[in-house]
Amino acid sequence: MKSKPLNMMTALAAGLAMSAGAVAADPDATLVINGEIPIVTRTEAPAHLEGALDEIRSGWTFRTKETQALQMDDFENPGMGPAEEAMTVWETADGTEGKSCADCHGAVEDGMKGVRAVYPKWVESAGEVRSIEQMINECRTTRMGAEEWQYIGSEMVNMTALISSVSRGMPMNVAIDGPAAETWAKGKEIYYTRFGQLDLSCANCHEENFDNYIRADHLSMGMTNGFPTYRLKNTKLNAVHDRFKGCIRDTRGVPFGVGSPEFVALELYVASRGNGLSVEGPSVRN
């Protein structure tokens, strides 16, 4: 679907400065990680986006060729170092129960394969939709007798990167029906709500104006299949709620709290927009 032009208010507020194509990017490039993990970066939009988008694209397709290349090889991907650090944590006992993640889940590539592709998800025992971060802290406090990690702290982001890495290539497939439907609808409402002094919604940038530029930023579709994401801009792994927080702050609005019901709902909705794209995390972005 061809992106729509920014309206006058958005253009003035956001400072649209470049046209698409001003920075070298290859939207038709093929992503294969380590020469053996094919990644779907473009596919038909899920049914619930009918009338909004015909095709969905990974954020990888909007990046420069140089940035794209970093994700093709784990030795070049700066996000893989933190994920490897988390492997040691996975196997290390912690808390009053003297248990490690591996004690319950086994090898991460076995116990966690496919997990990233279906989260956030409805957790019956909790009676709510939960993110991977919430489930990690649930394990730490109730099974390990350990302290919670900060929701977007380095220990948490490293672990979610490790968990994501073993599902790379699998299609995103978050459930939006049944008991998750109410949370999904709340997330959709937030996605289309304008925030801040700039009066912008997620959709204004990532649905109506993807492939355009705001200043030097090439707007993507805002898909989350690549999170956690190593951003060259701040040279660290970034959690999805950290990115949500930054986007709302950029509108000069007041963000919801990380791990809040609002951000979990938004995460579910945005993840569902990427159903069919491959899990990529830890990905590399500008």
Side-chain angles (χ1 to χ4, degrees):
M1 177 178 178
K2 185 176 178 60
S3 56
K4 303 173 184 177
L6 289 169
N7 60 37
M8 182 64 71
M9 178 182 65
T10 302
L12 291 174
L16 183 65
M18 301 182 184
S19 62
V23 177
D26 187 355
D28 298 314
T30 300
L31 175 56
V32 180
I33 299 174
N34 300 330
E36 60 184 14
I37 307 174
I39 301 294
V40 174
T41 60
R42 305 181 71 139
T43 191
E44 183 180 357
H48 69 80
L49 288 179
E50 183 178 0
L53 296 172
D54 299 321
E55 180 187 47
I56 53 174
R57 291 167 52 189
S58 161
W60 185 82
T61 69
F62 296 88
R63 303 284 64 90
T64 65
K65 293 179 180 179
E66 292 78 10
T67 302
Q68 287 179 337
L70 291 174
Q71 202 177 317
M72 294 179 176
D73 188 335
D74 281 354
F75 285 105
E76 299 294 332
N77 184 340
M80 287 305 297
E84 290 171 2
E85 291 177 16
M87 179 64 80
T88 300
V89 177
W90 178 269
E91 297 172 344
T92 302
D94 194 6
T96 59
E97 299 302 311
K99 290 184 177 181
S100 69
C101 303
D103 286 332
C104 290
H105 300 289
V108 66
E109 60 268 25
D110 297 327
M112 293 293 107
K113 186 174 184 179
V115 169
R116 174 66 179 84
V118 297
Y119 269 85
K121 66 178 289 187
W122 175 266
V123 177
E124 190 64 36
S125 61
E128 63 181 6
V129 170
R130 285 194 169 179
S131 65
I132 288 179
E133 289 88 346
Q134 289 173 317
M135 296 306 296
I136 289 172
N137 272 337
E138 174 74 11
C139 281
R140 287 186 58 77
T141 57
T142 64
R143 298 186 182 185
M144 300 170 70
E147 293 184 359
E148 288 189 351
W149 284 336
Q150 293 182 5
Y151 198 95
I152 58 173
S154 60
E155 293 169 311
M156 181 69 83
V157 180
N158 292 357
M159 185 59 72
T160 57
L162 174 64
I163 291 171
S164 180
S165 71
V166 300
S167 292
R168 287 181 297 177
M170 300 184 70
M172 288 295 300
N173 187 28
V174 297
I176 64 175
D177 56 357
E182 183 177 353
T183 302
W184 181 83
K186 178 62 177 177
K188 181 177 181 180
E189 177 186 350
I190 294 171
Y191 187 87
Y192 287 99
T193 297
R194 293 174 179 267
F195 290 96
Q197 294 178 354
L198 299 186
D199 196 36
L200 294 172
S201 70
C202 306
N204 289 144
C205 289
H206 299 297
E207 183 174 292
E208 298 171 5
N209 287 290
F210 65 87
D211 248 349
N212 285 322
Y213 284 78
I214 291 182
R215 302 187 183 94
D217 293 331
H218 189 182
L219 290 176
S220 73
M221 289 185 172
M223 299 299 174
T224 58
N225 60 301
F227 279 87
T229 293
Y230 188 94
R231 296 193 73 196
L232 302 176
K233 179 179 181 179
N234 60 12
T235 64
K236 69 173 186 176
L237 276 176
N238 295 260
V240 66
H241 285 202
D242 198 14
R243 191 71 216 108
F244 289 165
K245 180 180 177 181
C247 280
I248 294 180
R249 186 177 59 239
D250 288 346
T251 71
R252 300 177 189 170
V254 179
F256 300 108
V258 295
S260 65
E262 291 85 0
F263 270 174
V264 172
L266 181 60
E267 182 182 357
L268 175 64
Y269 176 69
V270 176
S272 78
R273 292 174 67 91
N275 275 352
L277 295 174
S278 295
V279 175
E280 288 182 35
S283 65
V284 184
R285 303 290 188 258
N286 293 347

